[in-house]
Amino acid sequence: MESTPPPTEPRKRGRPKGSTKAKAEKDKDTASAGTTPSRMRGSAGDKRNTAVDEGYAHWKQLVPVLYDWLASHNLVWPSLSCRWGPVLERGTYKTKQRLYLSEQTDHTQPNTLIIANCEVVRPRVAAESHIANFNEDARSPYVKKYKTILHPGEVNRIRELPQNKNIIATHTDCPEVLIWDVEAQPNRHAVLGAADSRPDLVLSGHQDNAEFALAMCPAEPFVLSGGKDKSVVLWSIQDHVSTLASDGTQSAESASSIVKAADNSTVGPRGIFQGHTDTVEDVQFCPSSSQQFCSVGDDSCLILWDARIGSDPVVKVEKAHNADLHCVDWNSHDENYILTGSADNTVCMFDRRNITANGIGSPVHKFAGHKAAVLCVQWSPDKCSVFGSSAEDGLLNIWDYEKVGQKKDTGSKTPGTPAGLFFQHAGHRDKVVDFHWNAHDPWTIVSVSDDGEFSGGGGTLQSVTNMARRSHRAVCHRLVNSAQFLEICNLMVPCLEMWRMTDLLYRPKDEVLTELQKFKDHVIECSKTS
Protein backbone atom coordinates (compact mmCIF):
# COMPACT_ATOMS: atom_id res chain seq x y z
CA MET A 1 0.00 0.00 0.00
CA GLU A 2 1.44 3.33 -0.98
CA SER A 3 1.43 6.14 1.53
CA THR A 4 -0.37 9.40 0.90
CA PRO A 5 1.96 12.01 -0.63
CA PRO A 6 3.20 14.56 1.90
CA PRO A 7 1.67 18.05 1.87
CA THR A 8 3.47 20.71 -0.09
CA GLU A 9 3.79 22.95 2.96
CA PRO A 10 5.51 21.73 6.15
CA ARG A 11 2.78 20.66 8.53
CA LYS A 12 3.10 21.43 12.21
CA ARG A 13 1.67 19.03 14.73
CA GLY A 14 -0.57 21.65 16.33
CA ARG A 15 -3.41 20.88 18.72
CA PRO A 16 -5.89 18.10 18.13
CA LYS A 17 -9.31 19.22 17.01
CA GLY A 18 -11.44 19.86 20.08
CA SER A 19 -8.63 21.29 22.22
CA THR A 20 -9.19 24.48 24.15
CA LYS A 21 -7.64 26.91 21.69
CA ALA A 22 -9.06 25.21 18.61
CA LYS A 23 -12.56 25.27 20.16
CA ALA A 24 -12.24 28.93 21.10
CA GLU A 25 -11.36 29.87 17.54
CA LYS A 26 -14.21 27.76 16.14
CA ASP A 27 -16.77 29.21 18.56
CA LYS A 28 -15.59 32.72 17.72
CA ASP A 29 -16.13 32.08 13.99
CA THR A 30 -19.60 30.63 14.49
CA ALA A 31 -20.58 33.49 16.80
CA SER A 32 -19.56 36.10 14.23
CA ALA A 33 -21.68 34.28 11.66
CA GLY A 34 -24.71 34.45 13.96
CA THR A 35 -24.92 30.72 14.58
CA THR A 36 -24.68 28.55 17.66
CA PRO A 37 -21.74 26.14 17.88
CA SER A 38 -22.84 22.52 17.95
CA ARG A 39 -20.96 19.41 19.03
CA MET A 40 -23.64 16.85 18.19
CA ARG A 41 -22.90 14.03 15.80
CA GLY A 42 -23.70 14.89 12.19
CA SER A 43 -24.91 18.39 13.06
CA ALA A 44 -23.38 19.88 9.92
CA GLY A 45 -24.54 17.11 7.64
CA ASP A 46 -20.92 16.28 7.02
CA LYS A 47 -20.45 13.28 4.72
CA ARG A 48 -17.44 12.28 6.76
CA ASN A 49 -19.65 11.86 9.81
CA THR A 50 -21.79 9.34 7.94
CA ALA A 51 -18.75 7.37 6.80
CA VAL A 52 -17.30 7.39 10.32
CA ASP A 53 -20.59 6.21 11.83
CA GLU A 54 -20.92 3.41 9.28
CA GLY A 55 -17.38 2.20 9.90
CA TYR A 56 -17.89 2.41 13.64
CA ALA A 57 -21.15 0.45 13.47
CA HIS A 58 -19.42 -2.27 11.46
CA TRP A 59 -16.60 -2.43 13.99
CA LYS A 60 -19.01 -2.65 16.91
CA GLN A 61 -20.63 -5.76 15.44
CA LEU A 62 -17.25 -7.49 15.52
CA VAL A 63 -16.33 -6.49 19.09
CA PRO A 64 -17.48 -9.76 20.78
CA VAL A 65 -15.33 -11.77 18.37
CA LEU A 66 -12.16 -9.70 18.46
CA TYR A 67 -11.86 -8.59 22.09
CA ASP A 68 -11.41 -10.32 25.39
CA TRP A 69 -12.39 -7.14 27.24
CA LEU A 70 -13.47 -3.65 26.18
CA ALA A 71 -14.37 -0.61 28.28
CA SER A 72 -15.36 2.67 26.64
CA HIS A 73 -15.39 5.77 28.80
CA ASN A 74 -16.94 9.01 27.53
CA LEU A 75 -14.98 12.03 28.78
CA VAL A 76 -16.52 15.37 29.72
CA TRP A 77 -13.51 17.27 28.37
CA PRO A 78 -10.88 16.40 25.74
CA SER A 79 -7.79 14.54 26.90
CA LEU A 80 -4.40 14.56 25.18
CA SER A 81 -2.63 11.92 27.28
CA CYS A 82 -3.33 8.70 29.19
CA ARG A 83 -0.99 6.43 31.17
CA TRP A 84 -1.23 3.31 33.27
CA GLY A 85 0.05 3.66 36.82
CA PRO A 86 0.94 1.11 39.52
CA VAL A 87 -1.17 -1.93 40.38
CA LEU A 88 -3.06 -1.40 43.65
CA GLU A 89 -4.81 -4.76 44.16
CA ARG A 90 -4.93 -8.11 42.38
CA GLY A 91 -8.20 -10.02 42.67
CA THR A 92 -9.50 -13.26 41.23
CA TYR A 93 -11.47 -11.58 38.46
CA LYS A 94 -10.21 -8.00 38.39
CA THR A 95 -7.03 -6.02 38.94
CA LYS A 96 -7.29 -2.56 40.45
CA GLN A 97 -4.78 -0.22 38.82
CA ARG A 98 -4.00 3.47 38.78
CA LEU A 99 -4.77 5.41 35.62
CA TYR A 100 -3.59 8.93 34.77
CA LEU A 101 -5.34 11.19 32.27
CA SER A 102 -5.87 14.87 31.55
CA GLU A 103 -8.88 17.13 31.08
CA GLN A 104 -8.54 20.13 28.78
CA THR A 105 -11.36 22.58 29.44
CA ASP A 106 -12.76 25.71 27.79
CA HIS A 107 -11.75 27.95 30.76
CA THR A 108 -15.16 27.71 32.46
CA GLN A 109 -13.37 25.22 34.73
CA PRO A 110 -9.68 24.70 35.50
CA ASN A 111 -7.58 22.29 33.44
CA THR A 112 -7.11 19.14 35.47
CA LEU A 113 -4.85 16.15 35.90
CA ILE A 114 -7.03 13.17 36.85
CA ILE A 115 -5.80 10.26 38.94
CA ALA A 116 -8.30 7.43 38.58
CA ASN A 117 -8.61 3.87 39.83
CA CYS A 118 -9.39 1.46 37.02
CA GLU A 119 -10.73 -2.07 37.40
CA VAL A 120 -9.09 -4.18 34.69
CA VAL A 121 -11.02 -7.40 34.07
CA ARG A 122 -8.64 -10.35 33.99
CA PRO A 123 -8.22 -12.51 30.87
CA ARG A 124 -11.09 -14.81 29.86
CA VAL A 125 -13.40 -13.44 32.54
CA ALA A 126 -15.65 -10.92 30.77
CA ALA A 127 -18.89 -12.32 29.36
CA GLU A 128 -19.49 -12.01 25.62
CA SER A 129 -22.81 -10.24 26.20
CA HIS A 130 -21.11 -7.66 28.39
CA ILE A 131 -18.47 -6.91 25.77
CA ALA A 132 -21.08 -6.61 23.01
CA ASN A 133 -23.33 -4.23 24.97
CA PHE A 134 -20.86 -1.57 26.09
CA ASN A 135 -22.21 1.99 26.02
CA GLU A 136 -19.81 4.32 24.22
CA ASP A 137 -21.84 7.40 25.21
CA ALA A 138 -21.59 6.79 28.96
CA ARG A 139 -18.94 6.88 31.65
CA SER A 140 -17.51 3.44 32.33
CA PRO A 141 -18.15 1.86 35.76
CA TYR A 142 -14.59 0.50 35.55
CA VAL A 143 -13.08 4.00 35.84
CA LYS A 144 -13.50 5.82 39.16
CA LYS A 145 -11.92 9.19 39.87
CA TYR A 146 -9.57 9.05 42.84
CA LYS A 147 -8.01 12.49 42.90
CA THR A 148 -8.05 15.74 40.92
CA ILE A 149 -5.09 18.08 40.52
CA LEU A 150 -5.79 21.58 39.20
CA HIS A 151 -3.13 21.87 36.57
CA PRO A 152 -1.56 25.25 35.65
CA GLY A 153 -2.23 25.26 31.90
CA GLU A 154 -3.16 22.48 29.51
CA VAL A 155 -1.89 18.94 30.11
CA ASN A 156 -0.33 17.86 26.81
CA ARG A 157 1.78 14.95 28.03
CA ILE A 158 1.90 12.68 31.10
CA ARG A 159 4.80 10.39 31.87
CA GLU A 160 5.33 8.24 34.98
CA LEU A 161 8.67 7.69 36.69
CA PRO A 162 9.66 3.98 36.45
CA GLN A 163 11.47 4.10 39.82
CA ASN A 164 8.31 5.34 41.57
CA LYS A 165 5.10 5.41 39.53
CA ASN A 166 3.40 7.72 42.02
CA ILE A 167 5.68 10.40 40.57
CA ILE A 168 4.61 11.80 37.22
CA ALA A 169 5.81 14.55 34.92
CA THR A 170 3.59 16.76 32.77
CA HIS A 171 4.14 19.00 29.79
CA THR A 172 1.95 22.05 29.43
CA ASP A 173 1.84 25.11 27.16
CA CYS A 174 4.89 26.68 28.82
CA PRO A 175 8.69 26.08 28.86
CA GLU A 176 8.77 24.20 32.19
CA VAL A 177 8.26 20.52 33.00
CA LEU A 178 6.16 19.94 36.13
CA ILE A 179 6.76 17.05 38.56
CA TRP A 180 3.91 15.76 40.74
CA ASP A 181 3.81 13.33 43.66
CA VAL A 182 0.22 12.17 43.19
CA GLU A 183 -0.10 10.67 46.67
CA ALA A 184 1.19 13.80 48.42
CA GLN A 185 -0.91 16.20 46.34
CA PRO A 186 -4.23 17.23 47.93
CA ASN A 187 -7.49 16.39 46.17
CA ARG A 188 -8.98 19.55 44.63
CA HIS A 189 -12.40 20.57 43.36
CA ALA A 190 -12.47 21.93 39.82
CA VAL A 191 -14.40 25.16 40.26
CA LEU A 192 -13.96 28.43 38.41
CA GLY A 193 -11.52 30.74 40.18
CA ALA A 194 -9.81 28.03 42.22
CA ALA A 195 -6.04 28.42 42.58
CA ASP A 196 -3.84 26.00 40.65
CA SER A 197 -2.28 23.06 42.46
CA ARG A 198 1.39 23.52 43.26
CA PRO A 199 3.79 21.06 41.60
CA ASP A 200 6.35 19.33 43.80
CA LEU A 201 9.15 20.27 41.40
CA VAL A 202 9.55 22.55 38.40
CA LEU A 203 12.21 21.67 35.82
CA SER A 204 13.51 24.74 34.01
CA GLY A 205 15.85 25.03 31.05
CA HIS A 206 13.79 25.58 27.90
CA GLN A 207 13.70 29.04 26.35
CA ASP A 208 10.33 28.51 24.64
CA ASN A 209 7.24 26.35 25.08
CA ALA A 210 7.79 22.62 25.48
CA GLU A 211 4.46 20.88 24.90
CA PHE A 212 4.81 17.33 23.58
CA ALA A 213 8.33 15.87 23.83
CA LEU A 214 8.69 14.23 27.25
CA ALA A 215 10.31 11.01 28.53
CA MET A 216 11.34 9.39 31.80
CA CYS A 217 14.42 7.17 32.05
CA PRO A 218 13.97 3.46 32.95
CA ALA A 219 17.52 3.26 34.35
CA GLU A 220 17.65 6.31 36.66
CA PRO A 221 15.27 9.10 37.75
CA PHE A 222 16.16 11.31 34.78
CA VAL A 223 13.76 13.43 32.72
CA LEU A 224 14.13 14.40 29.06
CA SER A 225 12.24 17.10 27.18
CA GLY A 226 12.13 18.87 23.82
CA GLY A 227 10.43 22.05 22.71
CA LYS A 228 9.92 24.93 20.31
CA ASP A 229 13.38 26.28 21.16
CA LYS A 230 14.75 23.39 19.02
CA SER A 231 16.63 21.98 22.01
CA VAL A 232 16.62 18.76 24.03
CA VAL A 233 17.00 19.24 27.80
CA LEU A 234 18.08 16.64 30.38
CA TRP A 235 17.43 16.76 34.15
CA SER A 236 18.00 14.49 37.12
CA ILE A 237 15.33 14.44 39.81
CA GLN A 238 18.09 13.37 42.18
CA ASP A 239 19.29 16.96 42.07
CA HIS A 240 16.34 17.74 44.35
CA VAL A 241 15.59 14.54 46.24
CA SER A 242 14.45 13.45 49.66
CA THR A 243 14.62 9.65 49.74
CA LEU A 244 13.72 6.95 47.25
CA ALA A 245 11.20 4.35 48.25
CA SER A 246 13.45 1.34 48.77
CA ASP A 247 10.61 -1.17 48.90
CA GLY A 248 8.16 -1.05 46.01
CA THR A 249 5.60 -3.05 48.03
CA GLN A 250 5.17 -0.33 50.66
CA SER A 251 1.78 1.31 50.93
CA ALA A 252 1.29 4.74 49.44
CA GLU A 253 0.99 6.24 52.92
CA SER A 254 4.24 4.81 54.27
CA ALA A 255 6.41 5.02 51.16
CA SER A 256 8.76 7.97 51.21
CA SER A 257 8.72 10.26 48.20
CA ILE A 258 11.33 10.81 45.56
CA VAL A 259 10.51 14.53 45.59
CA LYS A 260 9.79 17.01 48.34
CA ALA A 261 8.04 20.34 48.32
CA ALA A 262 10.27 23.23 49.25
CA ASP A 263 10.46 26.98 48.86
CA ASN A 264 13.14 26.50 46.24
CA SER A 265 11.50 23.79 44.10
CA THR A 266 13.03 24.66 40.72
CA VAL A 267 15.67 22.34 39.25
CA GLY A 268 18.09 23.33 36.51
CA PRO A 269 19.21 21.01 33.69
CA ARG A 270 22.10 18.56 33.57
CA GLY A 271 22.53 19.35 29.88
CA ILE A 272 21.04 21.22 26.91
CA PHE A 273 21.50 19.60 23.50
CA GLN A 274 21.33 21.55 20.23
CA GLY A 275 21.04 19.93 16.81
CA HIS A 276 17.49 20.32 15.53
CA THR A 277 16.51 23.21 13.24
CA ASP A 278 12.80 23.14 14.15
CA THR A 279 10.52 22.16 17.04
CA VAL A 280 11.45 18.95 18.86
CA GLU A 281 8.26 16.85 18.88
CA ASP A 282 9.30 13.74 20.83
CA VAL A 283 12.21 12.28 22.81
CA GLN A 284 13.08 8.85 24.20
CA PHE A 285 15.79 7.34 26.40
CA CYS A 286 17.79 4.29 25.48
CA PRO A 287 16.15 1.67 27.79
CA SER A 288 19.41 0.83 29.59
CA SER A 289 21.03 4.27 29.82
CA SER A 290 20.35 7.67 31.30
CA GLN A 291 23.00 9.23 29.05
CA GLN A 292 21.90 7.95 25.64
CA PHE A 293 18.69 9.14 24.05
CA CYS A 294 17.08 10.13 20.76
CA SER A 295 14.80 12.87 19.48
CA VAL A 296 12.66 13.72 16.44
CA GLY A 297 11.22 16.98 15.21
CA ASP A 298 9.54 19.11 12.58
CA ASP A 299 12.85 19.27 10.70
CA SER A 300 12.23 15.62 9.63
CA CYS A 301 15.36 14.53 11.52
CA LEU A 302 16.05 11.62 13.87
CA ILE A 303 18.98 12.43 16.17
CA LEU A 304 20.88 10.12 18.54
CA TRP A 305 22.67 11.71 21.51
CA ASP A 306 25.19 10.63 24.15
CA ALA A 307 25.57 13.02 27.09
CA ARG A 308 28.87 11.37 28.08
CA ILE A 309 30.65 12.74 25.01
CA GLY A 310 29.09 16.19 24.75
CA SER A 311 26.02 18.14 23.70
CA ASP A 312 26.37 17.67 19.94
CA PRO A 313 24.51 14.93 17.99
CA VAL A 314 26.22 11.56 17.77
CA VAL A 315 24.21 10.64 14.67
CA LYS A 316 21.76 12.82 12.77
CA VAL A 317 19.51 11.14 10.21
CA GLU A 318 18.42 13.80 7.74
CA LYS A 319 15.06 13.23 6.11
CA ALA A 320 14.12 10.24 8.22
CA HIS A 321 10.64 10.83 6.77
CA ASN A 322 9.23 13.04 4.03
CA ALA A 323 7.47 15.29 6.55
CA ASP A 324 7.48 16.37 10.20
CA LEU A 325 8.26 13.63 12.73
CA HIS A 326 5.76 13.43 15.57
CA CYS A 327 6.86 10.50 17.72
CA VAL A 328 9.68 8.08 18.53
CA ASP A 329 10.15 4.97 20.69
CA TRP A 330 13.13 2.77 21.56
CA ASN A 331 12.75 -1.02 21.78
CA SER A 332 13.38 -2.21 25.36
CA HIS A 333 13.87 -5.83 24.22
CA ASP A 334 16.35 -5.06 21.41
CA GLU A 335 18.03 -1.68 21.77
CA ASN A 336 19.10 -1.64 18.14
CA TYR A 337 15.58 -0.82 16.95
CA ILE A 338 13.95 2.62 17.02
CA LEU A 339 10.48 3.54 15.74
CA THR A 340 9.47 6.91 14.28
CA GLY A 341 6.03 8.19 13.25
CA SER A 342 5.39 11.07 10.88
CA ALA A 343 2.94 13.43 9.21
CA ASP A 344 3.62 11.45 6.01
CA ASN A 345 1.27 8.79 7.48
CA THR A 346 3.99 6.17 7.94
CA VAL A 347 5.98 4.46 10.71
CA CYS A 348 9.66 3.71 10.10
CA MET A 349 11.80 1.18 11.97
CA PHE A 350 15.50 2.06 12.11
CA ASP A 351 18.40 -0.18 13.10
CA ARG A 352 21.04 2.03 14.70
CA ARG A 353 23.74 -0.40 13.56
CA ASN A 354 22.93 0.61 9.98
CA ILE A 355 23.20 4.36 10.61
CA THR A 356 26.63 5.80 9.88
CA ALA A 357 28.36 8.71 11.57
CA ASN A 358 27.53 11.04 8.67
CA GLY A 359 23.83 10.43 9.18
CA ILE A 360 23.24 8.18 6.21
CA GLY A 361 20.76 5.45 6.91
CA SER A 362 17.50 4.01 5.68
CA PRO A 363 14.78 2.29 7.70
CA VAL A 364 14.70 -1.47 8.05
CA HIS A 365 11.05 -1.23 7.02
CA LYS A 366 8.45 1.44 6.40
CA PHE A 367 4.97 0.57 7.71
CA ALA A 368 2.27 2.26 5.63
CA GLY A 369 -1.15 1.48 7.04
CA HIS A 370 -2.49 4.83 8.21
CA LYS A 371 -4.37 7.37 6.10
CA ALA A 372 -3.39 10.41 8.16
CA ALA A 373 -0.54 11.70 10.33
CA VAL A 374 0.86 9.26 12.90
CA LEU A 375 0.72 10.78 16.40
CA CYS A 376 2.03 8.03 18.69
CA VAL A 377 4.19 4.89 18.37
CA GLN A 378 5.03 2.45 21.15
CA TRP A 379 6.72 -0.93 21.40
CA SER A 380 4.88 -3.70 23.21
CA PRO A 381 6.35 -4.52 26.65
CA ASP A 382 5.55 -8.20 26.11
CA LYS A 383 6.89 -9.15 22.67
CA CYS A 384 9.99 -7.62 21.09
CA SER A 385 8.66 -7.55 17.51
CA VAL A 386 5.21 -6.05 18.26
CA PHE A 387 4.35 -2.34 18.41
CA GLY A 388 1.35 -0.05 18.13
CA SER A 389 0.74 3.18 16.22
CA SER A 390 -2.12 5.65 16.44
CA ALA A 391 -3.01 8.42 14.03
CA GLU A 392 -5.34 11.19 12.99
CA ASP A 393 -7.33 8.66 10.93
CA GLY A 394 -8.88 7.36 14.18
CA LEU A 395 -7.09 4.01 14.03
CA LEU A 396 -4.77 2.26 16.45
CA ASN A 397 -2.79 -0.32 14.47
CA ILE A 398 -0.94 -3.27 16.01
CA TRP A 399 2.05 -4.47 13.98
CA ASP A 400 4.52 -7.37 14.13
CA TYR A 401 7.67 -6.80 12.09
CA GLU A 402 8.39 -10.54 12.17
CA LYS A 403 5.35 -11.00 9.92
CA VAL A 404 6.81 -8.75 7.23
CA GLY A 405 7.75 -10.93 4.24
CA GLN A 406 6.00 -14.05 5.52
CA LYS A 407 4.10 -15.99 2.87
CA LYS A 408 0.34 -15.72 3.08
CA ASP A 409 -0.87 -19.30 2.79
CA THR A 410 -4.38 -18.94 4.20
CA GLY A 411 -5.87 -17.72 0.93
CA SER A 412 -8.16 -15.31 2.82
CA LYS A 413 -5.86 -12.33 3.26
CA THR A 414 -7.52 -9.12 2.12
CA PRO A 415 -5.63 -7.68 -0.88
CA GLY A 416 -3.66 -4.55 -0.04
CA THR A 417 -3.33 -5.26 3.68
CA PRO A 418 -0.06 -3.58 4.79
CA ALA A 419 2.83 -5.92 5.57
CA GLY A 420 3.17 -6.57 9.29
CA LEU A 421 -0.31 -5.32 10.25
CA PHE A 422 -2.26 -7.92 12.21
CA PHE A 423 -4.86 -5.94 14.17
CA GLN A 424 -6.66 -2.60 13.90
CA HIS A 425 -8.61 -1.02 16.71
CA ALA A 426 -11.37 1.12 15.16
CA GLY A 427 -13.31 2.03 18.28
CA HIS A 428 -12.54 5.76 18.07
CA ARG A 429 -14.41 8.09 15.77
CA ASP A 430 -11.69 10.72 15.45
CA LYS A 431 -7.94 11.08 15.89
CA VAL A 432 -6.31 8.82 18.48
CA VAL A 433 -4.04 11.24 20.30
CA ASP A 434 -2.39 8.85 22.78
CA PHE A 435 -2.28 5.22 23.93
CA HIS A 436 -0.31 3.14 26.41
CA TRP A 437 0.40 -0.60 26.69
CA ASN A 438 -0.21 -2.03 30.15
CA ALA A 439 3.07 -3.50 31.43
CA HIS A 440 1.21 -5.38 34.20
CA ASP A 441 -1.45 -6.98 31.96
CA PRO A 442 -0.15 -8.31 28.62
CA TRP A 443 -1.88 -7.10 25.45
CA THR A 444 -4.06 -4.60 27.34
CA ILE A 445 -4.09 -1.04 26.01
CA VAL A 446 -5.64 2.26 27.08
CA SER A 447 -6.17 4.93 24.44
CA VAL A 448 -7.78 8.34 24.11
CA SER A 449 -9.31 10.08 21.13
CA ASP A 450 -10.54 13.58 20.47
CA ASP A 451 -13.96 12.64 19.09
CA GLY A 452 -16.17 15.03 21.03
CA GLU A 453 -17.88 16.20 17.85
CA PHE A 454 -19.16 12.66 17.27
CA SER A 455 -19.83 11.54 20.82
CA GLY A 456 -21.31 14.75 22.18
CA GLY A 457 -18.66 14.82 24.90
CA GLY A 458 -15.05 15.75 25.30
CA GLY A 459 -13.51 12.58 23.91
CA THR A 460 -13.28 8.87 24.47
CA LEU A 461 -11.13 6.82 26.81
CA GLN A 462 -11.02 3.16 25.92
CA SER A 463 -9.41 0.15 27.50
CA VAL A 464 -9.25 -3.20 25.79
CA THR A 465 -7.84 -6.54 26.74
CA ASN A 466 -6.09 -9.11 24.60
CA MET A 467 -7.92 -8.32 21.40
CA ALA A 468 -8.75 -11.98 21.05
CA ARG A 469 -8.84 -13.76 24.38
CA ARG A 470 -12.59 -14.31 24.05
CA SER A 471 -14.31 -17.42 25.28
CA HIS A 472 -13.44 -19.94 22.57
CA ARG A 473 -16.89 -21.50 22.75
CA ALA A 474 -18.46 -18.11 21.99
CA VAL A 475 -15.96 -17.48 19.21
CA CYS A 476 -16.68 -20.78 17.51
CA HIS A 477 -20.44 -20.32 17.61
CA ARG A 478 -19.81 -17.21 15.50
CA LEU A 479 -16.97 -18.59 13.37
CA VAL A 480 -17.60 -21.94 11.74
CA ASN A 481 -14.04 -22.30 10.47
CA SER A 482 -10.64 -20.68 10.87
CA ALA A 483 -10.68 -19.19 7.34
CA GLN A 484 -13.80 -17.21 8.22
CA PHE A 485 -12.14 -16.10 11.46
CA LEU A 486 -9.10 -14.81 9.58
CA GLU A 487 -11.29 -13.10 7.00
CA ILE A 488 -13.21 -11.20 9.67
CA CYS A 489 -9.96 -10.21 11.39
CA ASN A 490 -8.67 -8.79 8.12
CA LEU A 491 -11.70 -6.49 7.86
CA MET A 492 -10.40 -4.70 10.93
CA VAL A 493 -8.53 -1.87 9.29
CA PRO A 494 -10.22 1.01 11.19
CA CYS A 495 -10.19 1.02 15.46
CA LEU A 496 -9.39 2.05 19.59
CA GLU A 497 -10.15 2.54 23.75
CA MET A 498 -9.40 0.53 27.10
CA TRP A 499 -9.09 -2.94 25.57
CA ARG A 500 -7.51 -6.37 25.23
CA MET A 501 -7.54 -8.39 22.02
CA THR A 502 -8.31 -12.10 21.99
CA ASP A 503 -5.27 -14.32 22.24
CA LEU A 504 -6.40 -16.21 19.13
CA LEU A 505 -4.78 -13.41 17.17
CA TYR A 506 -1.25 -13.70 18.49
CA ARG A 507 -0.81 -17.25 19.78
CA PRO A 508 1.00 -19.78 17.54
CA LYS A 509 -1.08 -20.54 14.45
CA ASP A 510 -1.10 -24.34 14.83
CA GLU A 511 -2.19 -24.06 18.45
CA VAL A 512 -5.05 -21.71 17.57
CA LEU A 513 -6.30 -23.85 14.65
CA THR A 514 -6.29 -26.94 16.85
CA GLU A 515 -8.37 -25.20 19.50
CA LEU A 516 -10.79 -23.75 16.95
CA GLN A 517 -11.21 -27.16 15.31
CA LYS A 518 -12.09 -28.68 18.68
CA PHE A 519 -14.93 -26.22 19.19
CA LYS A 520 -15.97 -26.35 15.54
CA ASP A 521 -16.62 -30.09 16.01
CA HIS A 522 -18.59 -29.28 19.17
CA VAL A 523 -20.75 -26.71 17.33
CA ILE A 524 -21.46 -29.13 14.48
CA GLU A 525 -22.46 -31.86 16.92
CA CYS A 526 -24.78 -29.47 18.77
CA SER A 527 -26.36 -28.46 15.47
CA LYS A 528 -27.18 -32.09 14.64
CA THR A 529 -28.97 -32.65 17.96
CA SER A 530 -30.89 -29.34 18.02
Side-chain angles (χ1 to χ4, degrees), residues 3 19 32 46-47 156 176 213 219 222 251 320 331 396 398 413 428 431 434 457 463 505 514 522 524:
S3 59
S19 68
S32 63
D46 190 348
K47 292 182 179 180
N156 295 329
E176 290 77 29
F222 279 38
S251 68
N331 195 322
L396 197 162
I398 306 298
K413 191 74 175 177
H428 293 289
K431 61 185 68 174
D434 198 16
S463 178
L505 290 176
T514 300
H522 172 78
I524 293 174

Side-chain angles (χ1 to χ4, degrees), residues 317-386:
V317 182
E318 306 275 2
K319 284 291 178 184
H321 286 258
N322 293 322
D324 301 350
L325 273 69
H326 289 163
C327 46
V328 64
D329 197 26
W330 205 314
N331 195 322
S332 61
H333 297 279
D334 188 337
E335 294 180 1
N336 291 309
Y337 293 128
I338 296 172
L339 291 173
T340 57
S342 170
D344 67 3
N345 309 348
T346 67
V347 176
C348 285
M349 185 174 78
F350 289 90
D351 186 336
R352 62 174 176 169
R353 295 169 296 187
N354 297 338
I355 303 173
T356 61
N358 58 5
I360 297 174
S362 58
V364 175
H365 189 76
K366 180 177 287 189
F367 300 87
H370 286 289
K371 298 178 181 178
V374 178
L375 299 178
C376 184
V377 292
Q378 190 179 135
W379 290 102
S380 165
D382 302 298
K383 187 177 180 182
C384 65
S385 61
V386 172

Side-chain angles (χ1 to χ4, degrees), residues 110-380:
N111 292 297
T112 58
L113 176 62
I114 302 297
I115 296 89
N117 292 335
C118 181
E119 292 181 332
V120 181
V121 175
R122 303 196 74 171
R124 300 192 180 188
V125 169
E128 178 192 4
S129 58
H130 174 80
I131 297 174
N133 295 321
F134 73 92
N135 185 354
E136 66 269 43
D137 295 323
R139 314 210 79 181
S140 172
Y142 293 109
V143 180
K144 297 178 176 62
K145 188 180 294 187
Y146 166 71
K147 185 177 288 187
T148 299
I149 293 172
L150 304 189
H151 197 274
E154 301 169 350
V155 186
N156 295 329
R157 276 290 178 272
I158 304 170
R159 292 293 181 263
E160 72 284 355
L161 188 68
Q163 294 78 23
N164 184 338
K165 291 195 175 182
N166 289 325
I167 306 300
I168 61 174
T170 57
H171 252 328
T172 183
D173 46 356
C174 74
E176 290 77 29
V177 176
L178 307 182
I179 304 295
W180 307 87
D181 182 337
V182 298
E183 290 299 334
Q185 285 287 329
N187 187 27
R188 301 290 302 281
H189 295 288
V191 295
L192 184 63
D196 292 333
S197 298
R198 179 185 175 185
D200 294 274
L201 291 178
V202 177
L203 309 183
S204 64
H206 280 293
Q207 302 304 309
D208 202 343
N209 285 0
E211 298 177 341
F212 295 106
L214 183 63
M216 306 287 253
C217 177
E220 295 185 59
F222 279 38
V223 182
L224 195 65
S225 170
K228 290 184 178 180
D229 58 3
K230 309 172 189 177
S231 63
V232 175
V233 184
L234 176 69
W235 296 270
S236 171
I237 296 181
Q238 288 177 322
D239 291 343
H240 190 88
V241 136
S242 58
T243 54
L244 278 166
S246 57
D247 183 1
T249 62
Q250 295 181 70
S251 68
E253 290 77 13
S254 63
S256 54
S257 174
I258 193 173
V259 299
K260 62 179 180 180
D263 293 336
N264 182 21
S265 57
T266 299
V267 177
R270 286 281 183 100
I272 298 177
F273 303 84
Q274 302 283 352
H276 285 282
T277 58
D278 208 334
T279 300
V280 179
E281 290 280 7
D282 201 9
V283 292
Q284 191 58 255
F285 281 98
C286 173
S288 63
S289 173
S290 61
Q291 304 298 310
Q292 294 176 279
F293 39 89
C294 62
S295 60
V296 296
D298 289 339
D299 54 5
S300 303
C301 292
L302 164 65
I303 298 181
L304 275 61
W305 311 84
D306 191 334
R308 296 169 299 184
I309 60 176
S311 58
D312 294 327
V314 173
V315 176
K316 183 174 182 178
V317 182
E318 306 275 2
K319 284 291 178 184
H321 286 258
N322 293 322
D324 301 350
L325 273 69
H326 289 163
C327 46
V328 64
D329 197 26
W330 205 314
N331 195 322
S332 61
H333 297 279
D334 188 337
E335 294 180 1
N336 291 309
Y337 293 128
I338 296 172
L339 291 173
T340 57
S342 170
D344 67 3
N345 309 348
T346 67
V347 176
C348 285
M349 185 174 78
F350 289 90
D351 186 336
R352 62 174 176 169
R353 295 169 296 187
N354 297 338
I355 303 173
T356 61
N358 58 5
I360 297 174
S362 58
V364 175
H365 189 76
K366 180 177 287 189
F367 300 87
H370 286 289
K371 298 178 181 178
V374 178
L375 299 178
C376 184
V377 292
Q378 190 179 135
W379 290 102
S380 165

Side-chain angles (χ1 to χ4, degrees), residues 63-81:
V63 164
V65 173
L66 294 171
Y67 295 87
D68 180 61
W69 177 60
L70 170 68
S72 185
H73 186 71
N74 191 271
L75 301 171
V76 176
W77 299 105
S79 178
L80 293 185
S81 194

Side-chain angles (χ1 to χ4, degrees), residues 62 66 410-415 417 421-424 483-494 505:
L62 299 176
L66 294 171
T410 64
S412 62
K413 191 74 175 177
T414 302
T417 300
L421 179 64
F422 78 92
F423 189 86
Q424 279 193 325
Q484 183 181 359
F485 175 76
L486 292 171
E487 185 174 344
I488 289 179
C489 289
N490 289 325
L491 291 174
M492 288 299 296
V493 185
L505 290 176

Side-chain angles (χ1 to χ4, degrees), residues 2-13:
E2 295 182 358
S3 59
T4 304
T8 54
E9 293 292 328
R11 183 168 139 188
K12 304 304 177 188
R13 181 174 188 156

